Amino acid sequence: MTDRFRKKLLYLHYMNVLTNKQLLTWLRVDPGFEQPLSTPPAHIKLTPAQSLKLQKNLSAASYLEISAHLTHSNTSFITIFDSIYPDNLREIYDPPVILYMKGNVEYLRNEKMLAVVGSRKADQYTETMLNIILPDLLAEGICIISGLAKGADSIAHRLALKGQTIGVTGSGFQHVYPTSNQQLYKEMAAAQLLLSEYPPYIKPQKFHFPMRNRIIAGLSKGLLVTQAAVKSGTMITVDRALEEGRDIFSVPGSAVDPLSEGTNSLISQGAKLTVSAKDILNEWSI
């Protein structure tokens, strides 16, 4: 990948005009990225709003301004063509063309990644079980991935600060969501790794979070589910992980707790019942 190619790709991505699928289509039909940015390949059907926004943005900022903005915000980026881009993620359906990053990019070289997902309403039971399960996994060099949401995500990240943890956000880094995680964001940006497929200035939107979840599932070797309702965003992430052939580990819970309905259901469908680190380490022959 030439420097010119890389600059054009960042410039186009930073505008946030095309969808990720449209960018992938562009790169497939025009692998040399020779088409002028003002005139996407015919295979890409832009809406009138997209066309107007593209023309407006092409004259709004230069590549140097975008680069300076990233540098000023201490944000780096990688593309799908870079060697450090994880193979697991590259191979999923609709892999992100660009990932923006804060923190230790070397974590992306870790092939032992476990996603931890669960309810935003997760209670003391999740904290208790993750306190039992995670320390031995971290001691074996397993990197914990989650989505920096309230509840299970936040609990997992905080417990994993003693090892390696990656937070995948559903917004640009200038917009911490939820705001209650401001301090966690700062700690992870300083000593762990934050990832987003959204440029720093992009605010969180409802549809961003299912897109974020595909990255969480894509990066991971397996998915550990704590408390989750049967119908929830957590279970959507599980479905995506199953589509990508990831291992599913599930923490059992009380039969009368609605937040255990999802995890108990997964176990009945073949997920690995998980109450200690050994359940995961043995499955992975670690």
Side-chain angles (χ1 to χ4, degrees):
M1 180 175 57
T2 64
D3 186 54
R4 174 178 172 274
F5 184 104
R6 186 180 180 84
K7 287 179 178 179
K8 284 185 69 174
L9 185 56
L10 174 65
Y11 188 69
L12 184 59
H13 189 274
Y14 206 81
M15 295 179 193
N16 196 45
V17 175
L18 276 67
T19 66
N20 192 69
K21 288 181 182 179
Q22 287 174 323
L23 277 171
L24 288 169
T25 298
W26 189 325
L27 293 169
R28 186 177 68 250
V29 301
D30 179 22
F33 217 30
E34 301 298 335
Q35 195 85 8
L37 298 185
S38 58
T39 314
H43 295 72
I44 301 174
K45 305 300 182 184
L46 299 185
T47 65
Q50 282 181 308
S51 296
L52 182 63
K53 186 177 178 182
L54 179 63
Q55 299 306 320
K56 180 181 178 181
N57 286 6
L58 280 172
S59 59
S62 68
Y63 169 79
L64 288 177
E65 288 173 312
I66 291 172
S67 181
H69 185 212
L70 289 176
T71 300
H72 180 72
S73 63
N74 198 28
T75 301
S76 57
F77 74 97
I78 58 170
T79 77
I80 195 171
F81 301 102
D82 294 326
S83 60
I84 200 170
Y85 191 104
D87 289 338
N88 273 358
L89 186 60
R90 186 183 284 116
E91 293 165 2
I92 71 168
Y93 172 73
D94 193 21
V97 171
I98 281 182
L99 286 172
Y100 299 93
M101 306 178 298
K102 281 181 176 288
N104 191 343
V105 66
E106 291 300 313
Y107 283 9
L108 293 179
R109 300 190 190 277
N110 191 339
E111 296 181 356
K112 298 182 293 184
M113 294 191 184
L114 177 73
V116 176
V117 297
S119 175
R120 287 178 171 81
K121 299 178 181 178
D123 57 29
Q124 185 60 44
Y125 181 67
T126 283
E127 186 155 6
T128 297
M129 293 307 298
L130 291 183
N131 261 304
I132 293 170
I133 296 169
L134 293 191
D136 287 344
L137 298 180
L138 295 168
E140 292 293 341
I142 291 175
C143 180
I144 303 302
I145 306 169
S146 201
L148 278 159
K150 292 180 179 178
D153 292 16
S154 299
I155 294 169
H157 285 308
R158 288 193 176 97
L159 290 174
L161 289 174
K162 299 174 183 177
Q164 291 187 12
T165 184
I166 297 174
V168 186
T169 73
S171 59
F173 297 139
Q174 291 177 5
H175 302 279
V176 176
Y177 181 84
T179 55
S180 58
N181 276 343
Q182 289 273 4
Q183 184 57 36
L184 181 60
Y185 262 67
K186 290 179 182 178
E187 292 181 45
M188 291 187 64
Q192 299 292 335
L193 180 62
L194 298 178
L195 297 177
S196 177
E197 69 175 319
Y198 301 104
Y201 64 91
I202 297 297
K203 296 180 179 180
Q205 301 288 338
K206 187 175 182 179
F207 68 89
H208 288 175
F209 296 97
M211 297 297 287
R212 174 206 61 185
N213 292 348
R214 88 188 191 287
I215 298 175
I216 293 172
L219 284 169
S220 67
K221 178 180 172 69
L223 199 71
L224 173 65
V225 189
T226 62
Q227 293 174 295
V230 171
K231 293 184 178 180
S232 61
T234 296
M235 300 303 281
I236 293 172
T237 308
V238 171
D239 288 341
R240 187 59 193 262
L242 287 169
E243 289 173 5
E244 302 299 343
R246 306 302 190 247
D247 298 323
I248 306 298
F249 303 95
S250 188
V251 177
S254 168
V256 296
D257 183 357
L259 288 181
S260 293
E261 290 180 1
T263 53
N264 291 345
S265 175
L266 287 173
I267 292 168
S268 71
Q269 296 174 60
K272 176 73 174 179
L273 186 153
T274 304
V275 294
S276 74
K278 287 183 179 180
D279 295 316
I280 297 171
L281 297 174
N282 289 343
E283 190 73 18
W284 287 357
S285 300
I286 298 175

